Amino acid sequence: MFGNLFEEEEEGFSSTSSRGRVAKGGDEPTPPRGRSNLCGIKNQGGTCYLNSLLQTLLFTPEFREELFSLGAAELGCLEDKEDPGAKVRVIPLELQKLFASLLLVDQQSASTANLTNSFGWNSSEGTNQHDVQELNRILFSALEHSLVGTTGSTFIHQLYHGTIVNSIVCKECGNVSQRQEDFLDLTVCVCGVSSLEEALWNMFVEEEMFEGNNLYRCAQCDMLVTAAKSAKLKKLPPFMTISLLRFSFDFAKCERYKETGRYSFPFTINLLPFCEETDAGDSDFCYELFSVIIHKGGCYGGHYHVYIRDIDQLGQWEPPEEECKPKTQKKVTEEVKPTCEPKLQEDDPLSVITAIIDQEPSKSVLTDQLGQKLMDKIGSSWSKKFRKHYGPIGKFLQSHNDAFMLVSNGTRVALKAIANPSSPVTEPPGPAKPTTNSDPSTPSDPRAAEQQPELDQKSEPEQKGSHWFDLNDSTVTSIRESDIEKQFQGKESAYMLFYRKTQLHRPSEALNNPQYKIPLNLIQMAQEENIKMQKMREEFDATSNTVVLRLHLAPSYRLEYGALQPISKEQNGSTTLTFDRRKTVGDLRLDIYQKQELWEGDMALTVARSLPAGLHLYNTLTDDNVSLYSAGICTNSDLFVWNGREVCGATVLTGAEWEPVLLNVVRPNFGEDGDPEEGDGLESVEERGGFENGGPGLKREARGFAGASTLGEVREALGEPEESLLCQEHKGGKREEQGTGEGGGASGWRVFPPGDMQRTLKELSLKDGDALLVLEPQSFDSSMFALNGDVVTVTTPSDCRWLQVEFGPHDGGGGGGGEGEKEEERRKIKVPATGNMLLCEVKQRAIEELQLQEQLAGAQYCLRHVDCTGKLLPPVCEELSVRDAGVRLMTTLTLCPGNAPKASQLFLHFSVGSAPSAGMEMDIMVEKTCTVKECLKAMLEAVGLDGTCWHLRRLDWCEEVGEPIMDEDASLSELKINNGETLVVTEGQLPPKGFLKLSVWLCLDPSNNSAVSMDFNHTDNGHTDAVAAVDSPPLGAGDTAELRSAGQVEISDEATLEDLKTQVLTLPALQDACVPTTAFMRVWQLEGRRLARILRGQQLTLKKLKLPSGTDLCVQQLLTEEDLGPKDVMLSVRMGVPGERGFYPPEELVWDATRDSSPRSLRTCLAAHYGLSPDSLLLAKHQPDKHAWEEISNWSRQVSKKKKKRKAESLLGAPFHLKDGDTIGIKNLLIDNNRDFLTLEDEQGQQRLREQAEQRRKGGQAAGSEGPPKKTGQTKSRKPEVALSINVGVFR
């Protein structure tokens, strides 16, 4: 019926409580029931509608007992359902099993998977949500068909069946015609009705008259007569189900919507005024509300949950949370339970969080929701009120582990002294309820158990009578009766109402007895399930509370460089221990004592952590009565076992402030004669651009120091004199230019000032891995170090610099190319080099070391760089040194076929005709002093072309052919053409400098087939469209006018607009045009054959008008002179015909928007033009692409909250963007009451757009550039609607 009309919202409730958790021991078992002692139902993805109806039927005692009264003799057994010969009524059996599980099994929520499987639903059906009113009827029908031939075949009929009698009374003869109809639920109207009583009054009291043109044919009178129709309730069922028609259809908008207005309903109702027979007592007509199914959301998505009155008092009702109540109800709540809640101290975060958790039904709160609940409680966030004094909320909870504990793998926070609720199965009681994901520190609290009867006695006044609960899938919470009134209106409102007769009374033995009238086999099944789940929870509890600890024994460690290091490198000094984190620190200490038989003296357990510098100690576990969980010990925690004072005679400093920092101490390393020793770490240094691994001439040593140590203490620990300098690598500055000290390799170090000697390493922001250079005063005697102010420059020596030369097979290589093609890998060699070394020497050494003399004999080879994409860069000039050629040391050069350019030459790429593709360009070497003309000639000779109709162009920034090189006599160096640049040889004469070639178009008027008149106007069609002046048809978008080419003009970009108009008049197509002066001509710029803008400013140059070469222009003759200013807007205005859906012919109007571009300025201008009052005009802008009109109203002043300034009300900006040629419609409200601007042509255009959009949707074609309007026909993509059905076997 409704398909997936009520699809679950994203904010809907999860079907599992352990979503997102990862348990060590496998899947987490279902948690036990909460404090309400009621069981929820898991959501399969979209079955909240089913869950709400099932809970309502479960809490309908008469329905539940009738279902349980059916035994195996009538229904069969589920074990035989696969037997073809057995008649197993699966649906009632599964419903019995589900109800027994909801009543007796100790679990937070039950699954409906078996029940939906009995319906014949597949896995996808669980994610498709349907209408609960529809499900109610289909489920009852399925049950009736399933119970055919049993004693329960009529119990649905007995409980829910009622009768309505419809009567028609003839006003002429008094004849009464009656017809009865049965119902299982009443559907009442919500639209236009304020209450349930009013809706019932309209249905069963008000009469509908047949009169006028709507007469009734009386069978007795045999003619059309006046008659009255009415309906009455004839038979009332024990249970009255009322469905509210919340969802309606808007025929104007062609869409569904939800009625969210106020619609009240009573808690008790007397149906006597709506019944046919009124002889019985009032008790036969009185009903009381016991269930309300609520829908939250809109007509295309939402969520169901249900408010239910616990008639048999099966649940444990508690006052709901205070934060859910408005402030006006807080005083009432305090009077109801003065002893249940202590006085809240809002300045004490411990008191506030304790109160929040204590008010939760489960006595726990999700950690990510705690902040929001705190804000709802005290009206302020944690960061604003407590963070400054107490730090983050997570650290606050950890520091108060004596009051709070993290449960459910850290996803929830709970109080420590809360006892577990009792099991719902009272006979037999079964084993004690486990504390799955609760406090693992203590199994149970006997004091809490002793205090439990007192709490029950205190809350006894609240437990008298039946109370209301909110059953929201897996969640069950207590609510007050007054909360139901909140569901009278809004997006979350009542959808189905369930009433029961007040004369139905429950026996006393049914109260507080979930086993009442449940068959013994189902009770036994529930008990076995409870035992099974109890065992699973215990196993999971033990597994999830087992931690693996790493124990570090003091005899295996020594203190070195501020941290603990293992004595033996082969053994890391740690052992693993598996332990239960619920046990205490004392238990752990005793266990270690027993395993370490040789341990003597005191034993201290200190939390440790492995740092880059070594093992560091933090807090010592001193309280033996605290559990490991409360102490923050988790899996893979490190514990150091020692005497608490010293390790191997050395005192150990503990705590975060003494965390060691691992520094790389760098010192000069001079060899014989003062020369630095060679090292082979230089390659990795230069490739990374830093000295992280030291370098030749420097030696490195990793040393750890306490973070609280001062820099002076570090210098003393290194054994350095006071005059020594300590330096930190200068990471903020740039490396010095290539060429510093024989070809580069210099790095900067900042000297710590004397004041920093008293600052700690943490204050100086030194961290693990930072380098610390230690220099004695005599170090500056070496050329390696140079002091400039507070910066020390370290220059690596030149004798260890190198260049790598790579050689591989190349097509067209030397005589040895055959052998090179067989090589699988390219050959490489490192050639020692300095910044002063010539590149020709580098090439010669590389050829010798690679033994390529014979292979390359007689062939020319050069050295070239390769970029990151593998493309060869221009050859380097071998006449220059490494430094002068800009070659960085420690980089790679490739030995390639070809000549190397000289110092006076340029190596250029070029192509003919178009931009070159990768690897397809040609190369040439020319002198830097040669002219562009000479370069072009050389390129043409290289490709075998001749002639003078060629010119050169450069590539622009996006690698496309750019502007031509105009000065052919200039040299390449003067034009700043660089080595490796690409030029394009283009066919054609070089255009004159600064000249533009413009195309000119005329309007062809079909009325006289003449283009000479050039009379045309303009309206905006998406961008622009041309229209004929006054009586002429539109141009561009219309089919009745077209453009005709008038020729081309070539003109300098320094010419004025007036010069352009004068030259246009010389074209042959315009020789017969009568134009007194150029002011009588208007020039439009075309874009895509549409008019874009009017060129204005007679004396402005074409360069200032930003006209590029190749622009299309359209000219228009005027009857009067025109000189538009920069803010003048030429509009096409159309006055509406009074009383008709049309407009008078358009007129041109120039609106001066220089000073004021607001709607009022335009309205004043139009009023002056037509001689009318501005207040009587209604304006709208035409949108031809949508065939719609956008009304221009007098905007109210809008004030920005941040800047407190009035926003600009300009029609030149959003949303109208008025420009030349736009059409403005005008309505004179004094004589025309029709405010609608749409014409018949507009409606036809909109219909065409809708048809085009529908064709595109059906054909799957992509929307074009002029697609349909955004709002027309577009809806949110939804799943296809699927009919709801339940498959039932045949039992007749």
Side-chain angles (χ1 to χ4, degrees), residues 922-1212:
M922 293 165 281
D923 305 329
I924 191 172
M925 280 189 294
V926 294
E927 295 293 328
K928 296 180 182 178
T929 57
C930 77
T931 63
V932 174
K933 187 178 296 184
E934 293 171 347
C935 180
L936 174 62
K937 183 179 179 181
M939 291 179 178
L940 291 174
E941 291 176 354
V943 295
L945 295 175
D946 54 3
T948 58
C949 295
W950 301 92
H951 63 275
L952 285 178
R953 292 176 180 260
R954 303 175 85 163
L955 294 183
D956 60 11
W957 62 274
C958 54
E959 298 297 326
E960 295 180 355
V961 180
E963 295 295 326
I965 302 176
M966 304 298 299
D967 193 354
E968 289 188 311
D969 296 327
S971 66
L972 300 181
S973 58
E974 291 174 352
L975 295 176
K976 298 182 178 179
I977 295 178
N978 301 318
N979 198 42
E981 193 166 338
T982 301
L983 301 178
V984 180
V985 179
T986 307
E987 188 174 6
Q989 291 286 350
L990 189 68
K993 183 176 182 180
F995 269 71
L996 306 176
K997 183 177 287 187
L998 307 174
S999 300
V1000 182
W1001 297 82
L1002 301 178
C1003 166
L1004 181 62
D1005 189 348
S1007 60
N1008 54 16
N1009 197 25
S1010 173
V1012 179
S1013 65
M1014 301 182 296
D1015 292 336
F1016 61 92
N1017 204 340
H1018 162 262
T1019 62
D1020 183 24
N1021 184 11
H1023 294 287
T1024 49
D1025 284 323
V1027 292
V1030 190
D1031 296 326
S1032 299
L1035 170 69
D1039 297 328
T1040 58
E1042 59 183 22
L1043 296 175
R1044 191 178 71 183
S1045 175
Q1048 292 183 334
V1049 295
E1050 290 189 3
I1051 190 170
S1052 172
D1053 59 358
E1054 296 296 334
T1056 63
L1057 178 61
E1058 186 176 7
D1059 298 334
L1060 173 63
K1061 292 180 179 180
T1062 302
Q1063 189 163 343
V1064 167
L1065 288 174
T1066 63
L1067 293 174
L1070 297 175
Q1071 287 181 355
D1072 297 332
C1074 181
V1075 181
T1077 65
T1078 56
F1080 286 85
M1081 178 186 291
R1082 181 184 295 158
V1083 181
W1084 294 82
Q1085 181 179 348
L1086 294 176
E1087 289 182 2
R1089 297 182 64 83
R1090 292 182 175 181
L1091 304 178
R1093 63 167 177 145
I1094 297 175
L1095 301 183
R1096 60 196 74 200
Q1098 292 282 83
Q1099 301 306 318
L1100 290 179
T1101 64
L1102 302 184
K1103 181 184 292 185
K1104 288 189 176 181
L1105 290 174
K1106 299 181 179 179
L1107 281 183
S1109 184
T1111 301
D1112 291 331
L1113 303 177
C1114 186
V1115 294
Q1116 174 185 0
Q1117 183 181 1
L1118 303 176
L1119 300 179
T1120 59
E1121 289 184 315
E1122 179 181 82
D1123 187 13
L1124 298 178
K1127 283 293 186 72
D1128 289 343
V1129 184
M1130 196 284 295
L1131 300 174
S1132 174
V1133 295
R1134 306 184 67 182
M1135 175 65 75
V1137 180
E1140 298 182 13
R1141 301 180 62 186
F1143 294 89
Y1144 291 112
E1147 302 178 56
E1148 285 188 355
L1149 174 71
V1150 177
W1151 171 43
D1152 185 3
T1154 304
R1155 294 185 177 180
D1156 187 5
S1157 58
S1158 66
R1160 181 168 296 277
S1161 171
L1162 177 60
R1163 186 173 279 101
T1164 303
C1165 179
L1166 290 170
H1169 179 74
Y1170 287 104
L1172 299 173
S1173 170
D1175 295 333
S1176 64
L1177 299 183
L1178 182 65
L1179 310 182
K1181 175 190 173 184
H1182 191 226
Q1183 297 176 326
D1185 57 333
K1186 298 181 181 179
H1187 298 282
W1189 294 83
E1190 187 174 6
E1191 185 176 328
I1192 302 175
S1193 60
N1194 273 327
W1195 298 354
S1196 58
R1197 294 187 177 184
Q1198 300 177 1
V1199 179
S1200 172
K1201 293 182 179 179
K1202 294 182 179 179
K1203 298 183 179 180
K1204 300 296 182 183
K1205 293 182 181 179
R1206 179 180 176 181
K1207 291 186 177 179
E1209 300 175 352
S1210 174
L1211 291 177
L1212 305 181

Side-chain angles (χ1 to χ4, degrees), residues 77-233:
C77 297
L78 288 174
E79 292 78 7
D80 301 331
K81 65 180 180 180
E82 302 298 335
D83 186 358
K87 280 192 175 183
V88 180
R89 306 172 193 266
V90 182
I91 294 179
L93 286 171
E94 290 292 356
L95 198 58
Q96 281 186 349
K97 186 177 178 182
L98 175 63
F99 279 8
S101 178
L102 290 171
L103 291 170
L104 302 179
V105 177
D106 182 18
Q107 58 184 350
Q108 183 186 34
S109 57
S111 173
T112 57
N114 292 334
L115 179 64
T116 54
N117 288 339
S118 70
F119 291 168
W121 294 358
N122 53 29
S123 57
S124 63
E125 189 68 29
T127 61
N128 294 330
Q129 195 172 77
H130 299 276
D131 181 31
V132 69
Q133 298 173 359
E134 180 188 15
L135 174 68
N136 182 58
R137 298 174 183 176
I138 293 177
L139 181 59
F140 280 178
S141 175
L143 283 174
E144 287 182 327
H145 284 82
S146 297
L147 297 176
V148 169
T150 67
T151 57
S153 60
T154 61
F155 89 87
I156 298 289
H157 188 275
Q158 294 170 359
L159 295 179
Y160 296 95
H161 178 263
T163 305
I164 297 175
V165 57
N166 295 293
S167 303
I168 300 179
V169 181
C170 177
K171 294 298 183 182
E172 300 293 334
C173 65
N175 180 52
V176 179
S177 174
Q178 290 188 335
R179 178 177 59 86
Q180 293 187 8
E181 60 176 290
D182 301 329
F183 70 89
L184 292 178
D185 65 284
L186 287 180
T187 302
V188 298
C189 184
V190 173
C191 180
V193 184
S194 62
S195 65
L196 176 63
E197 296 94 326
E198 182 181 351
L200 294 176
W201 184 273
N202 295 338
M203 291 175 62
F204 301 114
V205 177
E206 295 287 344
E207 292 184 342
E208 178 185 358
M209 296 300 298
F210 295 110
E211 55 188 0
N213 295 329
N214 185 26
L215 295 177
Y216 169 72
R217 176 172 293 278
C218 178
Q220 187 167 336
C221 299
D222 195 21
M223 63 177 182
L224 296 175
V225 297
T226 303
K229 180 182 178 182
S230 63
K232 292 288 184 181
L233 292 169

